[in-house]
Amino acid sequence: MKMSDSVKINKLHTMNRLVMPPMATKTADDGKVSPQLIKFYTDRCGSGHIGLVITEHSYVTKQGKASANQLAIDDDSCIEGMSRLTESIKKSGSLVFAQLSHAGSRTSHDITGQSPVSSCSNGKGRLFGTKIKALSAEDIHELAEIFAQAAVRAKKAGYDGVEIHSAHGYLLNQFYSPLLNHRTDEYGADCMENRLRFHLEIIGAIREKLGEDYPIAVRLGGCDYMEGGSTILDSVEAAKLLEQAGVDLIDLSGGVCGFSVPGRSRCIFRDMSEEVKKAVSVPVILTGGIRTGTEAKILVEEQAADLIGIGRGLIANPNWAEEEL
């Protein structure tokens, strides 16, 4: 395996194994694509060295908006600006996916004008110190449809695929993590099928609307790296179930711990990606603490992952891909 190799995602092929992962620029204008946001991406993709770009998390409903100036994909008025964004990125030859997101309890009334929601309410669900409302089964079904409607908008806007955000303690990750999910119904944490049931409903709803050929990725916060939280073994089991459900790409990151782990600064999630890659046949993305082209090439050669995401390097240096690879 080499960094220059193409990778097949569903029926599409990347130009190489380099990924620009989703990174919040907070430059959207009332949720819409701004000239500043387009420039951020074109500055980094213009050289034509990035195989896959996953644009920053876009909220599927105002209820799940994480922060001010976050990108939105919650209604059809978003399509026009996103079409300009995807067109500008795809000129470089990159594939481009939209990340669909709901922050769950990791937002506030000040941002959304609504009470935050999560897998659980109050008490055991208050890891982030916010009073929250538990989603009912009916609420979950409605949100699955909302995610699917957002995926339809992404396709209309020219995105090659979508990524479902289930990492960093956001809503879907709150169902997956035993630290945050204390439900006793069919969405509870007593087995992996239940922890992923919400995810699988979303995947099914998207497939129903867009068919089998439209790529679906999941950004999985597979391991919390915290006592009592999700484990690497959990991430392997979850990845297998997601693949069986029709997911085309597994993008690994941290769970409740976020995108960092205490005591680690380089190749942070390699221990997880290596185990997941052995267990699934769909491509696996490794991101986190990878700073140089040499590190990226070694990770691919040693089959730690199929694709390598470079975040901080591309933020700091728009020409990282051209200079390092």
Side-chain angles (χ1 to χ4, degrees), residues 120-152:
C120 303
S121 63
N122 299 340
K124 294 179 180 178
R126 296 187 65 180
L127 184 65
F128 302 111
T130 303
K131 184 178 180 180
I132 55 179
K133 173 186 174 183
L135 290 169
S136 68
E138 183 179 355
D139 293 333
I140 292 168
H141 301 329
E142 290 177 359
L143 277 172
E145 178 64 18
I146 286 171
F147 268 89
Q149 290 169 358
V152 171

Side-chain angles (χ1 to χ4, degrees), residues 171-189:
L171 181 61
L172 290 168
N173 198 224
Q174 290 161 20
F175 279 78
Y176 172 76
S177 173
L179 290 172
L180 295 174
N181 186 347
H182 299 271
R183 298 175 72 104
T184 58
D185 62 3
E186 67 270 31
Y187 298 93

Side-chain angles (χ1 to χ4, degrees), residues 81-102:
M82 285 187 158
S83 296
R84 288 187 280 110
L85 176 61
T86 59
E87 181 181 6
S88 67
I89 293 172
K90 291 166 83 169
K91 285 179 181 178
S92 67
S94 303
L95 296 180
V96 56
F97 282 23
Q99 188 183 70
L100 311 181
S101 176
H102 190 302

